Amino acid sequence: MTRGGQTKDRETPERRCIVTGETQPKAGLIRFVAGPDGEVIPDLAEKLPGRGFWVVSDRAALDRAASKGLFSRGARAQVSAPPELLELIEAGLAKRVTNTLSLARKAGRAVAGFEKVKDWLANGKAKVLLQASDGSDRGKGKLWTPPGGRWFGCLTASELGLSFGRDHVIHSALAPGGLTDTLIRDASRLTGLRGHDGGASAGKE
């Protein structure tokens, strides 16, 4: 079992967190590399060259890695973390989620708006329900987590709106597919930083 209570899949790539010492699916961790100037760089796309070291996507764990010199231990070299590291990671993850959602919308794999989302949920088209963290609890409580799917509340209404070319969006749904899998991974990591419940339940059912 992982720290989040999910059963490990032996076929799922795993990495060890340099803070907790625990090995878990890398989808719940953030990869870092040491830059040429000796500064820690978050590799959110997991494509940068160099020795990678991993930290669970949790604000307290990341703070500890920076304050206790654990990044240097992971890099096996003296490195420093910029003071705005957490803000960079949070902004980067939010951008990745909104960009992926935008791509899904353009591909016809995502919708926004209460009635459209409700229709997708009722007809089994949705894999993920995304609802704005600053939306009305009463309004959000009228929708439900897709069976076997996920719910996330880690984005604001304005952030969700970016994906749909609107000022704000409260409710959004995504169909199954590769883009949705990518969004789930990044939204899970963002949830770890922002502290909003990103589990299997909307908590409003």
Side-chain angles (χ1 to χ4, degrees), residues 92-203:
L93 287 172
K95 184 176 181 179
R96 285 178 62 84
V97 174
T98 55
N99 285 350
T100 300
L101 183 56
S102 178
L103 290 173
R105 185 260 301 175
K106 293 174 183 176
R109 309 297 292 174
V111 294
F114 183 86
E115 292 300 332
K116 288 183 178 179
V117 170
K118 184 178 180 181
D119 178 71
W120 271 35
L121 290 170
N123 289 285
K125 294 181 179 180
K127 173 71 174 180
V128 173
L129 171 64
L130 274 165
Q131 293 182 300
S133 59
D134 51 349
S136 162
D137 285 343
R138 181 177 180 181
K140 291 190 292 186
K142 296 178 180 179
L143 298 177
W144 58 94
T145 303
R150 299 291 299 273
W151 171 84
F152 291 104
C154 56
L155 294 177
T156 65
S158 60
E159 287 173 331
L160 277 175
L162 290 174
S163 302
F164 293 89
R166 304 179 187 178
D167 289 336
H168 69 276
V169 165
I170 304 298
H171 314 281
S172 175
L174 289 85
L179 287 172
T180 302
D181 293 340
T182 298
L183 182 140
I184 288 174
R185 182 192 65 187
D186 289 326
S188 296
R189 292 168 170 168
L190 182 59
T191 294
L193 291 180
R194 291 188 168 178
H196 299 290
D197 180 12
S201 173

Side-chain angles (χ1 to χ4, degrees), residues 33-41 53 71-72 75 77-82:
V33 297
D37 57 355
E39 193 167 76
V40 172
I41 300 175
F53 39 101
F71 281 128
S72 294
Q78 189 62 40
V79 296
S80 61

